[in-house]
Every structure is written in structure tokens, then in C-alpha cells.
Amino acid sequence: MATAFSSIGVIQNPHCESRSVPSRKLYSAVLGSTQKFRFNPPSRSISGCSETLGKPSPIYAISEVFKEKKRKSASSSSGLLITKEEGLEVYEDMVLGRCFEDMCAQMYYRGKMFGFVHLYNGQEAVSTGFIKLLKKEDCVVSTYRDHVHALSKGIPAREVMSELFGKTTGCCRGQGGSMHMFSKEHNLIGGFAFIGEGIPVATGAAFTSKYRREALNETDCDHVTLAFFGDGTCNNGQFYECLNMAALWKLPIVFVVENNLWAIGMSHLRSTSDPEIWKKGPAFGMPGVHVDGMDVLKVREVPKEAIGRARRGEGPTLVECETYRFRGHSLADPDELRDPAEKARYAARDPIATLKKYMIDNNLANEVEFKAIDKKIDEIVEDSVEFADGSPQPSRSQLLENVFADPKGFGIGPDGRYRCADPKFTEGTAHV
């Protein structure tokens, strides 16, 4: 079968021809190439086998994604991967994410934040590389590791920090906390505490875009949805159901797997039958892409194409970004299960340091410019803490708001007052 893109891997239909499952290959051969991808769906099959010449139809998956080549862009004349303006914007966003999370750790251990707090340190290239290429109208659906996604989407640091402090000035008025960032204004549809539960929401958001365009004739509605989730989520049922649905309806969505190699304390290699997650895309009729998630310059090339496909109505893409978290699963995790050598190996590939080195080596920026950005971000993060610390706590009357669509049957009494304002509201419930 002819294919529109090259591949070093072919997945045959198991109903037509048996095959052995190869052992996991090192990803080093496929990291960060830059060849553009397209997808030609396979011929229609009956009983799992192709009608074409009676032979099984191979489904091609992209393994050598985006081979390095000169870009046909503003920077192509010099062969550079990014312009100075783009590079400084990307650097600033990644530094904001890193500094913000470092401050969160300080505030957590000082007792300013409560519950579980999951930090994003080390994975900044994925958030920045994808989200900074979106329009404001595009949607992002996150996970419990959502602070940096919120910042990249444009939610002010003040609002994110206040939400973490549980204050009324937070983006959810203090009712969401660390794992449930949300902003209607910025189209961040939420962080989700349980793995996989955000993927159907993202699929619904993508369906909304398609419905508005095709059923309501809003021809200018080309909005795209990004669904972020981790490697552990890819063994959950919602993941497969939504891949199937998105491919059937050609929804404008990009599924972004932030594969940091560990699901809490479970190694990805010990929990997944085929650790190469990107291969699951072609099984559902969409391109599957693997990219080095520790290099923002390589990451950025993938959403340029995947988001473009979605806007043009060409359907979804599955992207696996191989990245690494520099801290434990949460701030309550002593992080004793991972090999120190593994942690050191990824720490040496810090995405912020990698971008900075590239820009200096190619005379795109100098230390003075980077220090100015660092100083600016330090001031923003310090200000966010001062703002959050000085903001008011939610009143007790806010307790039942946003819990029921119509709270009058429960939250509001006959006198029109919130029942929770009644001192006897919880009387007799201590045993529950």
C-alpha cells in the first residue's frame, strides 16, 4: 500500500498475519527528527483483512518523526530552528513554569498549600512547545500536574498561585486547588485528579468545535483542543474509546502523552505491553508521533503540523513526548524508587539549559538578555506569592456554590439564605 510518509516500523493486522511483539527499542534513533507527516488511511477491510489484492494492509506509524532539515520559515535562510523573538518567548515561558513550581515547593513546605501538589519541573518543553502555538480560542485539558499548563495558556501567575493558596482571587475562587485549575476566559477546561477522566472532556470540546463549524455553519470556527495526559493513563479505557471516537469523527484534537517514564512509582516499561505509545495512533487510524520531550525546538515542530492538520479538518494526532520529571510524583513523594543515575542522566538534558545553549551558540541572544528575563520572572513569582498571601479566604457561604446547577433544592433554604450559614447546618451529621 502506498503511504504518504516514511516509516521504519510497520504494524500488521494481527487477524491477517501473526507477528511477534518486539522488545522495547531505545528511543534515541527516533528523537526529534523533523519530517512533516501526513496520513493516508488504509484500504477498507473485511474481517480484519484488506480487500486490496487479498493481502493484509499494513498500517504505517511514524517513527522517524521530523528529520532535521532547514525550515521553510522566517529562519530558514540561516538554517536556524527558531527566531530570536520566538526563542526569547519560549525561554521566558519555560523559566516562568520552572520558577513558579520551585516556589510552590517552598510554599507547600511552609504550610501555605494543602493536599497533594504535583510539580512539572523538567517537562516544561512539552507545555511551552505545544500551548504557545495555540490561539486563545483553542482549548487545553490538563491533568493533576496542571499549574504550568495554566501559565502557558495565559492565566496570570497571581491567579494560579492564589488558587493554590485556596483564596477567592484564584482562577477557581479557591474551590479547585492544585489539581483543578480552570479558566473559561483562557479556555483551560480543567485539571483532573483522576487519570483519564479529562480525555473524554477534551474529546467533547473538540466535537463542539466540529459541530459549530459543520452543523451551525460557523465557518470561522477552526478551534483545536489539546488533551494532555501521562503514560500511565494510556492503559485506561477512556484513552482507547476517545481515540476511536476522535478518528471516526475526524475531530480537531491532538492527544499529547507526557511520557515521563513513571506512573507514580511504577516504571512505564513494567506496566505497558508495548512501551512505544505512539504506535497506538495508527491502530485507530491517525498518525502516531514520538518526539524528544526534553528539547523544545524539536517539540515545537510536532504541534505545528498536528495542530495544522486539526484546523484543516484532517482529524486527530497522537503525540508521545518522552520527557522526565525532576521531582517526585508529588511533594509528598520521597522519590526513592527511581535510579539516581537515571535522574542524573535526564537532569543533564534540562530543556531550559538546552534552549539557552542553542541560542547563545547561534548568536540569537546573550547572557544579559537571559538574566533580564530571569529577573523579570523572579519578580512575577514573588508578586504572585505576596498577592495570594494577602488575598481573602472564601466565606463559608461559598461552600455550596458551583456544586449544584440549581442549589435551591439543597443549598438554599426557604428564606433564600444559604443553609450552610445556619449554625445548625451540620447538626447530627458527625457520625457520617
Side-chain angles (χ1 to χ4, degrees):
M1 183 185 78
T3 179
F5 47 75
S6 63
S7 170
I8 61 171
V10 177
I11 305 173
Q12 295 282 0
N13 190 319
H15 295 290
C16 301
E17 181 177 328
S18 62
R19 66 176 177 90
S20 60
V21 178
S23 60
R24 182 180 188 268
K25 301 174 182 178
L26 291 177
Y27 281 156
S28 57
V30 301
L31 295 183
S33 53
T34 54
Q35 182 177 352
K36 290 189 176 182
F37 62 88
R38 292 176 290 151
F39 178 71
N40 282 349
S43 303
R44 184 178 179 182
S45 60
I46 299 176
S47 301
C49 296
S50 172
E51 296 173 340
T52 307
L53 301 178
K55 296 180 180 180
S57 175
I59 299 175
Y60 288 85
I62 302 170
S63 51
E64 291 186 356
V65 188
F66 301 113
K67 291 183 177 179
E68 294 294 346
K69 64 180 180 180
K70 293 182 179 180
R71 309 294 191 270
K72 294 181 179 178
S73 65
S75 60
S76 63
S77 59
S78 61
L80 298 177
L81 305 178
I82 200 167
T83 65
K84 177 176 181 175
E85 293 72 21
E86 291 171 336
L88 292 177
E89 178 189 19
V90 167
Y91 177 82
E92 181 173 324
D93 191 64
M94 289 202 293
V95 171
L96 173 60
R98 178 71 58 85
C99 292
F100 188 92
E101 297 292 70
D102 287 343
M103 183 60 76
C104 285
Q106 292 186 44
M107 295 299 105
Y108 180 86
Y109 293 127
R110 292 182 189 180
K112 296 291 186 179
M113 301 176 189
F114 305 94
F116 286 100
V117 177
H118 308 79
L119 301 187
Y120 199 76
N121 299 55
Q123 302 181 201
E124 296 88 356
V126 181
S127 178
T128 299
F130 274 83
I131 296 176
K132 300 312 286 185
L133 293 174
L134 294 177
K135 300 189 298 186
K136 183 177 181 180
E137 296 79 12
D138 295 328
C139 294
V140 168
V141 176
S142 185
T143 65
Y144 49 71
R145 207 179 300 277
D146 58 354
H147 315 160
V148 177
H149 291 157
L151 294 170
S152 291
K153 196 63 173 72
I155 301 178
R158 280 185 165 194
E159 294 185 21
V160 180
M161 189 65 76
S162 293
E163 189 60 36
L164 288 161
F165 276 46
K167 300 297 185 71
T168 57
T169 52
C171 55
C172 296
R173 299 196 302 159
Q175 291 180 272
S178 174
M179 297 187 282
H180 301 284
M181 296 291 165
F182 173 89
S183 175
K184 179 180 179 181
E185 176 188 355
H186 297 89
N187 288 303
L188 178 74
I189 303 188
F192 291 85
F194 290 96
I195 63 171
E197 66 175 343
I199 303 178
V201 175
T203 305
F207 177 81
T208 299
S209 299
K210 187 179 180 69
Y211 187 85
R212 286 176 58 186
R213 183 180 180 90
E214 297 184 6
L216 302 182
N217 296 318
E218 297 181 20
T219 55
D220 59 341
C221 182
D222 61 353
H223 307 162
V224 173
T225 299
L226 296 185
F228 289 94
F229 47 93
D231 47 285
T233 301
C234 297
N235 297 322
N236 280 27
Q238 298 105 311
F239 170 64
Y240 298 99
E241 293 168 10
C242 291
L243 286 185
N244 180 63
M245 195 174 294
L248 277 174
W249 296 339
K250 298 184 71 173
L251 299 183
I253 186 170
V254 182
F255 298 99
V256 184
V257 185
E258 298 189 276
N259 183 0
N260 60 27
L261 310 183
W262 289 86
I264 307 182
M266 171 59 73
S267 168
H268 175 59
L269 301 182
R270 290 191 286 117
S271 63
T272 305
S273 58
D274 187 344
E276 295 177 289
I277 299 170
W278 58 270
K279 290 181 178 178
K280 295 175 171 63
F284 287 90
M286 69 181 72
V289 183
H290 176 270
V291 70
D292 179 0
M294 301 300 286
D295 188 333
V296 71
L297 298 179
K298 294 172 182 175
V299 171
R300 275 169 52 89
E301 294 306 309
V302 177
K304 285 179 183 178
E305 192 69 19
I307 293 171
R309 289 186 72 252
R311 287 206 202 284
R312 295 190 297 268
E314 296 173 17
T317 304
L318 173 65
V319 182
E320 177 187 3
C321 301
E322 187 179 342
T323 184
Y324 202 76
R325 52 175 167 81
F326 289 168
R327 293 179 177 266
H329 172 70
S330 75
L331 286 174
D333 176 14
D335 196 21
E336 298 172 342
L337 297 174
R338 299 188 295 176
D339 183 353
E342 177 185 280
K343 290 191 278 188
R345 186 167 62 253
Y346 278 95
R349 301 183 58 229
D350 188 318
I352 297 176
T354 299
L355 174 63
K356 182 177 179 180
K357 182 179 185 303
Y358 178 87
M359 294 187 69
I360 290 176
D361 289 349
N362 288 278
N363 300 314
L364 290 173
N366 55 47
E367 283 288 354
V368 174
E369 292 170 296
F370 287 122
K371 287 181 179 178
I373 291 175
D374 295 344
K375 183 176 184 295
K376 173 185 174 182
I377 296 304
D378 284 342
E379 292 172 352
I380 290 174
V381 173
E382 290 284 351
D383 172 74
S384 72
V385 171
E386 293 177 10
F387 178 80
D389 202 34
S391 295
Q393 297 278 358
S395 65
R396 195 176 181 212
S397 64
Q398 192 180 313
L399 182 64
L400 295 178
E401 291 184 25
N402 303 319
V403 176
F404 300 96
D406 180 7
K408 292 184 179 179
F410 175 79
I412 298 178
D415 58 357
R417 298 179 60 196
Y418 282 100
R419 293 180 187 272
C420 62
D422 182 350
K424 297 184 178 181
F425 176 65
T426 57
E427 190 175 272
T429 62
H431 66 283
V432 177

